[in-house]
């Protein structure tokens, strides 16, 4: 698709809103796109850069998925990574609550990743009984509680103690919340621990890396994850079945090998590499396997015989 200027893209989003439901600017840095199509509502938080980089049609992922499934969608869009910390956004959700907007839907699903995952959790308080799915969300960036996270220095003057502030407290009214993160990314794991609640399922995704959502996209499971949540069939067991796709995903396999190499575990790395060669036959993995076999042979260490891959299902 031909690249659109920012102005043309904005105009296109506004036109879609006018046709499908509404488009509404929220202050200087945010906007809302609502599509009224069915009794299930998918609420996603996305940034302009995510939308324009990730999708060939330059449309929000939540809108596209919901439209394909016949669901309604509400997409909150930020011009940059703001964590949606803006009084105009607070006022918008306050209005939705006053209008009992979310009560019109049979099921409501909130989704976001990273800063947008924080927002999905924080604003889900406006829709009691919703399902929340957040990939590597921060819990807060307030220095008293999360001063150990030094990744977002540009947000240090932003308040996380006023309205919709501490995201883990905001999910108390959710039917269920699922927090997905890589436990080997220490800061993400520390934020995830702050979300621990009776209605929260922490779903550690080893070797997903620092871009969990991108890994899900490359695995081809993000849409199915949200589709099953909208259908009311998402749970931990469903997630782990979907996450099996990691075994055929080059990015995941490269991350796994890099961590084994960093830990100086040549035997385990060789076993992993051999499995990868049988599954996807990548030349990079085959070359690394040959190197590791030579190293292990020099140490008089032998690999066990190959086992047949278990059948799926």
């Amino acid at each position: 698709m031909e690249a659109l200027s920012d102005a043309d893209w904005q105009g296109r989003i506004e036109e879609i809103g006018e046709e499908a439901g509404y488009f509404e600017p929220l202050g200087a840095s945010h906007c809302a796109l609502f599509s009224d199509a069915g009794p299930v509502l998918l609420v996603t938080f996305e940034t302009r850069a995510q939308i324009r980089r990730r999708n060939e049609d330059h449309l929000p992922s939540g809108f596209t998925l919901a439209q394909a499934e016949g669901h309604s969608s509400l997409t909150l869009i930020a011009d940059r990574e703001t964590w949606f910390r803006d009084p105009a956004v607070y006022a918008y959700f306050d209005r939705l609550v006053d209008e009992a907007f979310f009560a019109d839907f049979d099921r409501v699903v909130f989704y976001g990743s990273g800063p947008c995952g924080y927002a999905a959790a924080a604003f889900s308080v406006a829709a009691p009984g919703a399902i929340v799915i957040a990939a590597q969300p921060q819990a807060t960036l307030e220095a008293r509680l999360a001063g150990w996270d030094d990744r977002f220095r540009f947000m240090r003057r932003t308040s996380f103690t006023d309205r919709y502030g501490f995201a883990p407290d905001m999910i108390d009214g959710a039917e269920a919340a699922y927090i997905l993160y890589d436990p080997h990314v220490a800061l993400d794991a520390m934020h995830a621990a702050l979300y621990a609640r009776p209605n929260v399922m922490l779903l550690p995704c080893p070797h997903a890396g620092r871009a969990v959502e991108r890994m899900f996209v490359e695995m081809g499971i993000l849409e199915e994850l949200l589709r099953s949540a909208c259908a009311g069939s998402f749970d931990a067991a469903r997630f782990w079945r979907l996450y099996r796709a990691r075994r055929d995903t080059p990015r995941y396999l490269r991350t796994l090998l890099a961590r084994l190499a960093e830990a100086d575990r040549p035997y385990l790395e060789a076993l992993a590499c051999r499995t990868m060669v049988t599954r996807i036959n990548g030349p990079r993995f085959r070359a690394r396997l040959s190197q590791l076999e030579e190293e292990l042979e020099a140490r008089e260490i032998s690999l066990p015989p190959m086992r047949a891959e278990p059948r799926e299902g």
Side-chain angles (χ1 to χ4, degrees), residues 126-240:
I131 299 295
V132 179
I133 300 177
Q136 63 183 122
Q138 293 75 47
T140 178
L141 295 183
E142 200 268 313
R144 184 177 59 87
L145 294 175
W148 35 264
D149 192 341
D150 60 357
R151 296 175 294 182
F152 312 109
R153 296 178 184 273
F154 62 94
M155 291 294 292
R156 285 190 172 177
R157 294 187 178 182
T158 302
S159 174
F160 281 80
T161 58
D162 53 356
R163 306 292 313 288
Y164 302 97
F166 187 55
D169 283 349
M170 300 297 104
I171 57 176
D172 282 347
E175 177 182 322
Y178 301 91
I179 307 299
L180 305 103
Y181 64 100
D182 186 336
H184 299 299
V185 180
L187 296 179
D188 286 347
M190 291 165 73
H191 279 289
L194 293 175
Y195 278 94
R197 297 287 191 281
N199 63 334
V200 175
M201 178 69 69
L202 301 181
L203 296 175
C205 310
H207 313 302
R210 290 178 169 81
V212 172
E213 183 183 66
R214 185 182 304 174
M215 185 71 78
F216 289 169
V217 170
E218 294 194 12
M219 289 180 186
I221 68 172
L222 181 59
E223 288 191 1
E224 183 54 37
L225 185 155
L226 295 178
R227 189 177 293 114
S228 60
C230 288
S233 60
F234 183 78
D235 57 15
R238 176 63 176 156
F239 173 74
W240 293 122

Side-chain angles (χ1 to χ4, degrees), residues 77-93:
I77 303 172
D79 286 348
R80 60 189 185 284
E81 289 189 340
T82 65
W83 280 254
F84 293 83
R85 302 302 301 158
D86 186 330
V89 180
Y90 312 160
Y92 175 69
F93 276 93

Side-chain angles (χ1 to χ4, degrees), residues 52-93:
R52 304 207 63 186
R53 177 183 67 244
R54 187 169 59 201
N55 305 321
E56 293 183 0
D57 58 7
H58 302 294
L59 296 178
S61 295
F63 169 81
T64 301
L65 173 63
Q67 185 181 51
E69 297 297 312
H71 300 324
S72 297
S73 65
L74 176 61
T75 308
L76 282 297
I77 303 172
D79 286 348
R80 60 189 185 284
E81 289 189 340
T82 65
W83 280 254
F84 293 83
R85 302 302 301 158
D86 186 330
V89 180
Y90 312 160
Y92 175 69
F93 276 93

